[in-house]
Amino acid sequence: MWNRLLRTDADYATTLARLALGIVILPHGAQKLLGWFGGGGVSGTIGFFQSAWGIPAALTVLVIAAESFGALALIMGLAGRFAALGIAAVMTGAVLLQHASVGFFMNWTGTQAGEGFEFHLLAVGLALVVAIKGSGALSIDRVLASRWSDREDNRRHSEQRLRAAA
Protein backbone atom coordinates (compact mmCIF):
# COMPACT_ATOMS: atom_id res chain seq x y z
CA MET A 1 0.00 0.00 0.00
CA TRP A 2 2.74 2.50 0.95
CA ASN A 3 4.61 1.75 -2.24
CA ARG A 4 1.52 2.64 -4.28
CA LEU A 5 1.07 5.90 -2.37
CA LEU A 6 4.70 6.94 -2.74
CA ARG A 7 5.40 5.55 -6.23
CA THR A 8 6.43 8.23 -8.69
CA ASP A 9 8.56 8.58 -11.78
CA ALA A 10 11.60 10.75 -12.49
CA ASP A 11 9.48 13.54 -13.94
CA TYR A 12 11.09 16.95 -13.40
CA ALA A 13 7.93 18.85 -14.38
CA THR A 14 6.10 17.20 -11.46
CA THR A 15 9.03 18.12 -9.23
CA LEU A 16 8.69 21.75 -10.30
CA ALA A 17 4.94 21.72 -9.61
CA ARG A 18 5.55 20.16 -6.18
CA LEU A 19 8.27 22.65 -5.25
CA ALA A 20 6.32 25.67 -6.51
CA LEU A 21 3.26 24.66 -4.50
CA GLY A 22 5.25 23.95 -1.34
CA ILE A 23 7.27 27.17 -1.54
CA VAL A 24 4.20 29.33 -2.15
CA ILE A 25 2.05 27.72 0.56
CA LEU A 26 4.73 27.51 3.29
CA PRO A 27 4.65 31.24 4.21
CA HIS A 28 0.87 31.01 4.62
CA GLY A 29 1.39 28.06 6.95
CA ALA A 30 4.08 29.99 8.86
CA GLN A 31 1.59 32.82 9.37
CA LYS A 32 -0.91 30.44 10.90
CA LEU A 33 1.50 28.22 12.84
CA LEU A 34 4.21 30.61 14.00
CA GLY A 35 2.71 34.08 13.61
CA TRP A 36 5.36 35.00 11.03
CA PHE A 37 4.74 37.46 8.18
CA GLY A 38 2.00 39.25 10.09
CA GLY A 39 0.04 36.11 10.92
CA GLY A 40 -1.83 35.37 14.12
CA GLY A 41 -0.11 32.14 15.10
CA VAL A 42 -2.11 29.10 16.18
CA SER A 43 -4.34 30.80 18.77
CA GLY A 44 -4.98 33.85 16.61
CA THR A 45 -5.81 31.70 13.60
CA ILE A 46 -8.17 29.46 15.61
CA GLY A 47 -9.91 32.53 17.05
CA PHE A 48 -10.23 34.21 13.67
CA PHE A 49 -11.52 31.11 11.89
CA GLN A 50 -14.12 30.56 14.63
CA SER A 51 -15.34 34.15 14.70
CA ALA A 52 -15.24 34.83 10.95
CA TRP A 53 -16.56 31.53 9.60
CA GLY A 54 -17.59 29.37 12.55
CA ILE A 55 -14.88 26.82 11.77
CA PRO A 56 -14.20 24.53 14.75
CA ALA A 57 -10.73 24.56 16.33
CA ALA A 58 -9.99 20.95 15.28
CA LEU A 59 -10.62 21.76 11.62
CA THR A 60 -8.52 24.91 11.88
CA VAL A 61 -5.64 22.83 13.28
CA LEU A 62 -5.90 20.59 10.18
CA VAL A 63 -5.71 23.69 7.96
CA ILE A 64 -2.63 24.88 9.85
CA ALA A 65 -1.03 21.42 9.54
CA ALA A 66 -1.76 21.20 5.80
CA GLU A 67 -0.33 24.64 5.06
CA SER A 68 2.76 24.30 7.26
CA PHE A 69 3.77 20.65 7.61
CA GLY A 70 2.14 19.74 4.28
CA ALA A 71 4.09 22.47 2.51
CA LEU A 72 7.33 21.28 4.12
CA ALA A 73 6.52 17.70 3.08
CA LEU A 74 5.98 18.89 -0.49
CA ILE A 75 9.28 20.72 -0.55
CA MET A 76 11.04 17.55 0.63
CA GLY A 77 8.97 15.30 -1.62
CA LEU A 78 7.70 13.24 1.32
CA ALA A 79 4.15 11.83 1.07
CA GLY A 80 3.57 14.29 -1.75
CA ARG A 81 0.20 12.93 -2.81
CA PHE A 82 -1.18 13.16 0.73
CA ALA A 83 0.24 16.66 1.32
CA ALA A 84 -1.04 17.89 -2.05
CA LEU A 85 -4.55 16.60 -1.39
CA GLY A 86 -4.55 18.34 1.99
CA ILE A 87 -3.59 21.64 0.41
CA ALA A 88 -6.16 21.18 -2.38
CA ALA A 89 -8.84 20.63 0.28
CA VAL A 90 -7.78 23.77 2.17
CA MET A 91 -7.78 25.87 -1.01
CA THR A 92 -11.19 24.53 -2.05
CA GLY A 93 -12.57 25.34 1.39
CA ALA A 94 -11.12 28.86 1.23
CA VAL A 95 -12.81 29.45 -2.11
CA LEU A 96 -16.17 28.15 -0.94
CA LEU A 97 -16.14 30.00 2.39
CA GLN A 98 -14.61 33.32 1.42
CA HIS A 99 -13.22 33.97 -2.04
CA ALA A 100 -15.91 32.82 -4.51
CA SER A 101 -18.19 35.70 -3.52
CA VAL A 102 -15.48 38.23 -4.42
CA GLY A 103 -14.99 36.91 -7.93
CA PHE A 104 -12.10 35.53 -9.94
CA PHE A 105 -9.42 38.23 -9.76
CA MET A 106 -7.09 39.03 -6.90
CA ASN A 107 -7.48 42.51 -5.43
CA TRP A 108 -4.54 44.08 -7.28
CA THR A 109 -6.07 47.56 -7.36
CA GLY A 110 -7.46 47.57 -3.82
CA THR A 111 -10.98 48.26 -5.06
CA GLN A 112 -12.60 44.89 -4.25
CA ALA A 113 -14.08 43.81 -0.95
CA GLY A 114 -11.52 40.99 -0.74
CA GLU A 115 -9.35 38.67 -2.77
CA GLY A 116 -10.69 36.57 -5.65
CA PHE A 117 -9.98 32.90 -6.15
CA GLU A 118 -7.44 32.87 -9.00
CA PHE A 119 -4.55 32.07 -6.62
CA HIS A 120 -6.52 29.21 -5.09
CA LEU A 121 -7.34 27.77 -8.50
CA LEU A 122 -3.64 27.70 -9.41
CA ALA A 123 -2.79 26.04 -6.08
CA VAL A 124 -5.47 23.38 -6.61
CA GLY A 125 -4.18 22.76 -10.15
CA LEU A 126 -0.60 22.26 -8.95
CA ALA A 127 -1.83 20.07 -6.09
CA LEU A 128 -3.79 17.85 -8.46
CA VAL A 129 -0.70 17.36 -10.65
CA VAL A 130 1.21 16.09 -7.60
CA ALA A 131 -1.74 14.04 -6.33
CA ILE A 132 -2.05 12.28 -9.69
CA LYS A 133 1.61 11.93 -10.70
CA GLY A 134 3.38 11.74 -7.34
CA SER A 135 6.33 13.75 -6.07
CA GLY A 136 8.50 13.31 -9.16
CA ALA A 137 12.27 13.34 -9.39
CA LEU A 138 14.43 14.49 -6.51
CA SER A 139 11.94 13.35 -3.88
CA ILE A 140 12.10 11.26 -0.75
CA ASP A 141 9.01 9.42 -2.05
CA ARG A 142 10.98 8.22 -5.08
CA VAL A 143 13.82 6.92 -2.91
CA LEU A 144 11.48 5.14 -0.47
CA ALA A 145 9.34 3.62 -3.21
CA SER A 146 12.44 2.34 -4.97
CA ARG A 147 13.75 0.72 -1.78
CA TRP A 148 10.39 -0.89 -0.99
CA SER A 149 10.09 -2.10 -4.57
CA ASP A 150 13.59 -3.64 -4.38
CA ARG A 151 12.67 -5.40 -1.12
CA GLU A 152 9.44 -6.69 -2.63
CA ASP A 153 11.32 -7.98 -5.68
CA ASN A 154 13.87 -9.73 -3.45
CA ARG A 155 11.08 -11.31 -1.39
CA ARG A 156 9.33 -12.56 -4.54
CA HIS A 157 12.55 -14.03 -5.95
CA SER A 158 13.26 -15.81 -2.64
CA GLU A 159 9.77 -17.31 -2.63
CA GLN A 160 10.20 -18.48 -6.23
CA ARG A 161 13.53 -20.12 -5.39
CA LEU A 162 12.00 -21.86 -2.38
CA ARG A 163 9.12 -23.16 -4.51
CA ALA A 164 11.52 -24.34 -7.22
CA ALA A 165 13.68 -26.13 -4.65
CA ALA A 166 10.70 -27.92 -3.09
Side-chain angles (χ1 to χ4, degrees):
M1 178 181 113
W2 286 109
N3 195 27
R4 288 180 104 184
L5 180 66
L6 301 179
R7 189 176 343 150
T8 187
D9 56 20
D11 184 5
Y12 284 94
T14 305
T15 302
L16 290 174
R18 171 178 57 80
L19 288 171
L21 182 61
I23 290 167
V24 167
I25 296 297
L26 184 59
H28 296 276
Q31 287 177 314
K32 294 172 180 71
L33 180 67
L34 304 170
W36 292 359
F37 312 113
V42 173
S43 61
T45 301
I46 289 172
F48 178 74
F49 277 37
Q50 283 178 330
S51 65
W53 302 300
I55 296 175
L59 189 55
T60 303
V61 168
L62 291 175
V63 169
I64 294 168
E67 287 190 6
S68 55
F69 302 116
L72 283 172
L74 282 173
I75 291 168
M76 294 185 300
L78 178 62
R81 284 186 169 95
F82 181 74
L85 287 173
I87 290 172
V90 169
M91 293 295 112
T92 301
V95 169
L96 295 174
L97 288 173
Q98 179 64 28
H99 300 281
S101 63
V102 177
F104 179 77
F105 293 103
M106 300 296 291
N107 192 11
W108 297 108
T109 60
T111 57
Q112 295 174 182
E115 299 290 346
F117 60 88
E118 65 180 311
F119 166 82
H120 305 83
L121 185 62
L122 286 171
V124 169
L126 288 172
L128 290 176
V129 168
V130 177
I132 292 166
K133 302 264 299 166
S135 292
L138 306 175
S139 67
I140 294 173
D141 285 353
R142 185 161 165 71
V143 172
L144 291 175
S146 174
R147 286 185 182 168
W148 281 330
S149 179
D150 290 345
R151 285 182 189 159
E152 183 64 23
D153 289 345
N154 289 339
R155 187 188 59 79
R156 260 189 251 123
H157 291 298
S158 295
E159 288 175 357
Q160 288 172 351
R161 277 181 261 154
L162 286 173
R163 275 189 232 125

